[in-house]
Amino acid sequence: MTPDLFDSDLTRQPICDGAVLLRGFVTPHTTEIFDAIATIENVAPFRHMITPGGFRMSVAMTNCGTYGWSSDRRGYRYASTDPLSEKNWPAMPALFLELAQSAAEQAGFVDFKPDSCLINRYEIGSRLSLHQDKNERDFSAPIVSVSLGISALFLFGREQRNIRPLRLPLSHGDVVVWGGPARLYYHGIAPLKIDTHPLTGTHRINLTFRKVD
Ligand code: MD3
Ligand code: FE
């Protein structure tokens, strides 16, 4: 989307084999992204899902695209309809698709066709414990994640959940492309510290683009 910016590798930082950080990649588009999220949440509001173990997630979630991720007492799944409305999830905005594809391309994934975008909303104290993303059919496709609003400490446990994870601060506008061996690494978000951002107040929003089917 802004190719000349990436002729230098200054903003393209390798994290590990398969994972690339694109600092500030979506910063020029944040107003349009927030407009799109407002439209999505009018139809499919953020909600705190229940884990199969019976816990209410501290992160509120919604989705757009052909498939949306959800959790309840029966398990985790992707489905084409929102369990709250029993209607299809809102369509993925063209801008989202373009940004996700161009980010993937910057990391060397040429034909990324995400059919799902999970939108996570964190408040102060919200966290996401270490987990793997393995409900998708095809692990050869990367996951593209977009961070907006207040910063978070991303935890990166690699192949194991029981070793001390690496820490990576993620800020407003940052994009990370997770592919190759990194695609199945354990990861999470440390409890959000008190902070405010001019566009989101005390919230952090994360978009994850996936190829589910
Ligand atoms: C590394 N979300 O939704 S995004 C998730 O910030 C999730 O909301 C976090 O983990 C968030 O599942 C982290 C970065 C991310 C997403 C998926 C990954 C990193 C990943 C999948 C495999 C490896
Ligand atoms: Fe994840």
Side-chain angles (χ1 to χ4, degrees), residues 124-140:
I124 309 303
S126 295
R127 59 181 295 173
L128 198 61
S129 51
L130 282 188
H131 66 276
Q132 291 174 294
D133 291 18
K134 47 181 189 187
N135 289 111
E136 302 78 19
R137 196 188 292 271
D138 177 9
F139 299 137
S140 70

Side-chain angles (χ1 to χ4, degrees), residues 58-59 122-131 150-156 165-170 187-194 204:
S58 62
V59 180
Y122 295 75
E123 51 200 298
I124 309 303
S126 295
R127 59 181 295 173
L128 198 61
S129 51
L130 282 188
H131 66 276
I150 67 175
S151 296
L153 204 51
F154 181 77
L155 306 174
F156 195 36
L166 303 178
R167 275 131 217 273
L168 176 74
L170 291 178
H187 60 278
I189 295 287
L192 255 69
K193 295 203 169 136
I194 296 175
R204 170 178 186 262

Side-chain angles (χ1 to χ4, degrees), residues 118 120 122 131 133 145 178 182-183 187 189 204 206 210:
L118 172 64
N120 292 335
Y122 295 75
H131 66 276
D133 291 18
S145 78
W178 306 91
R183 176 64 184 77
H187 60 278
I189 295 287
R204 170 178 186 262
N206 182 266
R210 301 143 193 270

Side-chain angles (χ1 to χ4, degrees), residues 66-211:
T66 305
Y67 299 101
W69 184 89
S70 64
S71 175
D72 61 21
R73 287 305 303 240
R74 289 170 297 155
Y76 308 125
R77 79 191 68 79
Y78 284 101
S80 55
T81 56
D82 176 350
L84 280 185
S85 66
E86 296 175 341
K87 296 198 169 105
N88 284 343
W89 292 104
M92 193 180 306
L95 171 70
F96 282 20
L97 196 61
E98 284 162 21
L99 289 172
Q101 283 177 331
S102 64
E105 212 166 291
Q106 287 299 327
F109 296 92
V110 284
D111 257 343
F112 184 47
K113 295 253 172 2
D115 52 14
S116 175
C117 174
L118 172 64
I119 308 175
N120 292 335
R121 189 185 68 195
Y122 295 75
E123 51 200 298
I124 309 303
S126 295
R127 59 181 295 173
L128 198 61
S129 51
L130 282 188
H131 66 276
Q132 291 174 294
D133 291 18
K134 47 181 189 187
N135 289 111
E136 302 78 19
R137 196 188 292 271
D138 177 9
F139 299 137
S140 70
I143 291 180
V144 172
S145 78
V146 176
S147 291
L148 299 163
I150 67 175
S151 296
L153 204 51
F154 181 77
L155 306 174
F156 195 36
R158 298 180 182 257
E159 293 85 352
Q160 293 175 65
R161 83 184 331 153
N162 52 359
I163 54 168
R164 187 187 142 91
L166 303 178
R167 275 131 217 273
L168 176 74
L170 291 178
S171 306
H172 181 74
D174 291 351
V175 173
V176 189
V177 181
W178 306 91
R183 176 64 184 77
L184 285 168
Y185 282 3
Y186 281 94
H187 60 278
I189 295 287
L192 255 69
K193 295 203 169 136
I194 296 175
D195 195 2
T196 61
H197 187 279
L199 293 176
T200 63
T202 55
H203 286 146
R204 170 178 186 262
I205 305 273
N206 182 266
L207 313 176
T208 49
F209 294 92
R210 301 143 193 270
K211 172 105 180 76

